[in-house]
Amino acid sequence: MSPEAAKSAAAAAEAAAEAQEVYLEERQKVNVEMLIYYAASLSCLIGVFILSFWIRFISVRMGWTRSRNPILLPFIATTRVARKIFIRTLPGFTSVGHAVVVIAYVALNILFTFYDFYQDDYEQSTNYAARFGWMATGNMVLVVFLALKNTPLAFLTAYSYERLNVLHQIAGYTTMLYTILHASIYTDYFLNNGRVSILQEEVVTAGIVLGFAMLFSVLAGMFLKRFNYELFYIIHVILFIVIVVTLGLHRPSFNSDQGLYATVIIGAIWFADRLIRFGRLVYNSINNEATVYALPDGGTRIVLKKPISRARPGKHCYVWLPRIRSSGSWFPMTRAFETHPFTIVASDPMELVINSYSGFTRDLHRYALQHPGGSLRASVEGPYGTDPDPLDFDKVVLVAGGSGATFTFGIAADMLERMAENSTQQIDFIWAVKGQDNLTWFTEHLNTLRNHYHSPKVSLKVHVTRLASSPLAPGSSSIARTSASGSSTDLAPSASAELEKVVDLSTASGQISAGPTPYQSDREERFSQRHVEIASSTASMVDLPIIVGRPDTGALIRSAVGSVGRDQRVLVAACGPDGLIKVVRNVAAGCISVDGPAIEVHCEQFGW
């Protein structure tokens, strides 16, 4: 090659490199702008929820939901028709409203993936890969934001983190899809153009590790979570740390590509959330301990010496009990770093009632059986949950299945304690359990509902679906207590086999533990006596009217709503398995009408 030709070739190569650099800069500028627009659109979507929540909150406080003012009627009619639609369940989604949010989220992703796409004949396939990568980065920020326990959305929209968890998962799947497309297209491009060596560069290697960490994290959430939640959680946290580090290494500059800003945001909000939770755990561990009692049929009661601020029955908290060792686990010492969520049944003293499944709850119950009334070093972090205030309603309908009663008992007890002496508010308490042994889990709380000053305003309906053979006393007179809304048998169940009986809870089989606690000061001694009362109350003679068979939940809810005036407000709150929640949602939605009472629906479901 002549010197002139070589010089010409070098000039052409330099010009091509400059053209490629300009092309990459222009493409990146477009992608960054689109990511900013996408973030702004998501913020506007969140803003709609914030605005709608506060409009509804103000309308309730101002009494507009009770008003029949012709000026407000169009607003009331519109909101009720919308809620009647959005509250209903939909296959594959929690509700129709949830489906609408998901559709809006997917639509925004499609729009900003292809809108104002950088068009250039030069390496067109990589244009798609680059846009997919930027959308994955933006969605990763959303994934972490939706996972925060101390999310600002809890007080801005009344959506606590557990209600956002489904959206967290959907955002995670979307991020994974973008990551796969981003990696696949770039890999195909490099292989087909003989640039395999670029896959060995540090930046690209970090991206490969990042992709596999995301993939394993998503797979763990899809499969491992169902079988071993504790192992899933450990893997999930470790992989998240790997994801943050490799994302920073994959885009390590603030100036050239600005991708490091997203990494900093992700790491900052996650670390801040963890720091807040850790600080609470440390503070609440001071002079704190838990006393555990075994209950029949796998239940465990925890009574904490030191309550936490803002704790209210019905909310939930995370409990730290490092002495509960893991049996049969690959990581037996990880319990020292684990916290577990449970619903608060009572706040003074702070009490939790827990059903045994596997993992921690199984080991906790085993410990309670082996050490009845034993005390453990403990701490608590929380509380969490955004439950409606029951005092804002004229009638509260509480529906629970099995151990879901930890939520409804908490709501009922909190409401009874705060009700004014001349209150006309009413409570319909509906509880279905499999066996009579489970009734002893909440003996004291059942007594509270039946013996409280406001107990005439409580309609208690307890259904046992599998009544074991045990001494019954149908002729006992100690069970008669008629509520303002009717007796405990005022609504007959639909099943022909259902029969009202009276069960003596002291005959229920199963081990119930009680034992003293070693507190020495006067205050601690009174607290210790309280422990003994809680444990021993399960063995006391209590006659409880029960109904044998499954409740007709729909009929009970419709009857409760139909018993109030059109200018009143009704809260329907439920906790239990998916089937029960589906019935509650659909029936309550069907009861919403323009001419009827204002109805609020709040559902807590099993699982995290």
Side-chain angles (χ1 to χ4, degrees), residues 541-600:
M541 185 69 71
V542 179
D543 293 329
L544 176 70
I546 68 167
I547 304 171
V548 181
R550 296 182 182 276
D552 187 343
T553 306
L556 294 174
I557 294 175
R558 281 188 286 267
S559 177
V561 173
S563 66
V564 301
R566 56 185 295 187
D567 60 341
Q568 294 183 307
R569 301 188 71 226
V570 180
L571 170 64
V572 181
C575 183
D578 293 341
L580 175 66
I581 298 301
K582 180 179 180 180
V583 171
V584 171
R585 278 188 172 276
N586 291 334
V587 172
C591 293
I592 297 176
S593 65
V594 177
D595 296 329
I599 300 174
E600 183 78 22

Side-chain angles (χ1 to χ4, degrees), residues 54-119:
W54 285 103
I55 290 176
R56 181 170 175 77
F57 177 82
I58 293 172
S59 66
V60 169
R61 294 300 178 187
M62 298 295 291
W64 296 344
T65 57
R66 303 173 185 266
S67 174
R68 294 296 164 181
N69 189 320
I71 299 177
L72 296 175
L73 190 57
F75 168 75
I76 295 174
T78 302
T79 56
R80 291 191 180 184
V81 170
R83 296 183 69 252
K84 186 181 183 72
I85 297 172
F86 291 154
I87 289 174
R88 291 185 179 276
T89 59
L90 189 69
F93 300 93
T94 303
S95 64
V96 174
H98 173 233
V100 171
V101 173
V102 173
I103 291 172
Y105 168 72
V106 172
L108 288 177
N109 273 275
I110 294 175
L111 172 64
F112 289 103
T113 297
F114 299 103
Y115 178 73
D116 197 18
F117 197 78
Y118 189 76
Q119 298 294 333

Side-chain angles (χ1 to χ4, degrees), residues 324-335:
I324 303 300
R325 300 301 183 188
S326 178
S327 59
S329 172
W330 295 350
F331 308 99
M333 300 301 295
T334 57
R335 289 281 163 78

Side-chain angles (χ1 to χ4, degrees), residues 519 521-533:
Y519 306 138
S521 68
D522 292 341
R523 180 176 180 275
E524 291 173 336
E525 184 176 348
R526 290 195 299 270
F527 185 72
S528 176
Q529 292 171 354
R530 173 66 168 159
H531 284 189
V532 177
E533 291 173 5

Side-chain angles (χ1 to χ4, degrees), residues 504-525:
D504 176 3
L505 294 187
S506 65
T507 64
S509 61
Q511 182 175 355
I512 304 172
S513 62
T517 51
Y519 306 138
Q520 300 302 321
S521 68
D522 292 341
R523 180 176 180 275
E524 291 173 336
E525 184 176 348

